[in-house]
Amino acid sequence: MTNHSAVHDESNVLGQVLAQRERVAARLAHIQRVVAVMSGKGGVGKSALTANLAAALAMQGRVVGVLDADIHGASAAAMLGARGQRVVIGENGARPAIGVADVRVMSMDLFLSDEDAPVTWGHPGGLAADTYVWRGTLEANVLREFLADTDWGELDTLLIDMPPGADRFETLMRLVPNLSGALVVTIPSQVSHLVVRRAIAAARHAGARLLGLVENMAGLTDGEVTHELFPNGRGEDFAAEVDVPYLGRVPFDPQLARTTDAGRPFVLEHAESAAGRAILTIAAAL
Amino acid sequence: MKFVCDDCRRAMELVDNTPSEDGGSMAIRYTCPNCGRSISMITNPGETQMVRSLGVTIGHEALSAQPEPMAIIRDALAGGSVAATTGPEPMWTDAALRRLAAAPTFVQGMVRRLYTDYARQKGYTEITPAVMTEAREALGMTGV
């Protein structure tokens, strides 16, 4: 008869995976609200909106962090003026960068060696052709490390800037089962609505609470007059169709593009503009 | 995965593991605690890749391993990462703090971090207005 009492998994892989989850939970215990900013559609201004919402929340006295979950298109550090800082590994984890308005930032951008460096992974088997086997798992674990290993400290709100597409959202929900909710960003175009509708369905399927829908680039404002950019998409009607609270429309302001490129969230210097007021209102609703 | 010594009907125990030079496979050695018979299992690259991408370790090192923060990112990022281990925090002199206080409030935290990082990289133990000036020129900062 086999002595099964001696059979034990010395590596305890399951135990290690469970310990990883526990480290995420322990870190998030110091964060009051975790909000994912998602779209499904790329190019809707989701990252710029995230940076501005973070700054708006900081203006309202909150302690805020931004986790840039867009591993291959990381931009949060640049938009919050935090590029050039180094991630320092300390006793309590990896110290996040400090952006404008003291927003704490963790992004893949902070790990890359130079301006042109793409995010590419060493092949753990020496076989580049097999990357499909492990890339998704590895990048899901990068997101886990961002959550668990960053020394966020005590935060009122952690905003997670999600990448385009809906697949990473399910990973996030597994890591953060008590996610406060997701903010959905669209632009007023039929194509955007088509893609965002699917992302909303995926988020619901993953069990996410949808906090609201923001219509970004809703017209072009020159400070006095707002010109329609997409005549066929009304965000308010779309929000009703998909049964998500409508939080408002943010007009495109050329100053927003300029300040974002300069690493200074627009809302800090243009809080009285139409776009600035809209961002502050949405932040207050969060 | 576990192995049983057929002669002794005992579960074999893991002895060690040895990664191949290309990192694509791993030899994992087991021995019977009763008769001492040994066997080795060779993993295939796909298995090794999957395990590594999970951020877990296999074998004896797993028993004592407390994972390093951001271990996957720092180990797997091709070309290496620029994350640094912490060193002594440079001290800010009163004069430097007064100069920092002249910067707009909403950028003070960010600017403080940039100067601190610069001083640490240079091995300076304190941050003075002269260090701030040097850093400002080196980093191409304006307005602060």
Side-chain angles (χ1 to χ4, degrees), chain B residues 2-44:
Chain B
K2 304 163 188 77
F3 297 94
V4 172
C5 175
D6 274 345
D7 292 342
C8 304
R9 308 306 297 168
R10 292 282 301 269
M12 302 183 92
E13 294 179 353
L14 187 147
V15 178
D16 55 32
N17 63 54
T18 309
S20 65
E21 285 187 5
D22 68 1
S25 61
M26 182 180 285
I28 304 176
R29 191 156 59 100
Y30 292 82
T31 188
C32 173
N34 190 49
C35 70
R37 174 185 294 177
S38 289
I39 63 163
S40 287
M41 177 183 78
I42 309 295
T43 65
N44 68 41

Side-chain angles (χ1 to χ4, degrees), chain B residues 74-144:
Chain B
R74 292 194 286 156
D75 291 346
L77 196 58
S81 80
V82 292
T85 51
T86 190
E89 192 82 359
M91 296 288 292
W92 281 73
T93 64
D94 290 343
L97 287 172
R98 281 196 296 277
R99 178 163 156 183
L100 180 68
T105 307
F106 68 91
V107 298
Q108 283 183 15
M110 177 188 72
V111 172
R112 183 182 180 115
R113 173 63 62 79
L114 283 168
Y115 284 140
T116 303
D117 282 354
Y118 178 83
R120 182 187 284 112
Q121 284 171 36
K122 289 287 182 180
Y124 299 150
T125 56
E126 67 176 19
I127 299 169
T128 63
V131 171
M132 294 171 79
T133 300
E134 179 187 319
R136 183 177 160 173
E137 289 171 4
L139 301 173
M141 296 161 67
T142 57
V144 288

Side-chain angles (χ1 to χ4, degrees), chain A residues 77-119:
Chain A
M79 291 182 180
L80 286 159
R83 287 206 83 206
Q85 297 179 33
R86 301 178 77 190
V87 174
V88 177
I89 308 297
E91 285 182 4
N92 198 30
R95 192 187 64 178
I98 303 293
V100 291
D102 288 342
V103 174
R104 300 167 196 180
V105 186
M106 183 52 72
S107 169
M108 184 55 72
D109 192 18
L110 301 169
F111 289 87
L112 299 174
S113 54
D114 61 60
E115 291 274 328
D116 301 327
V119 177

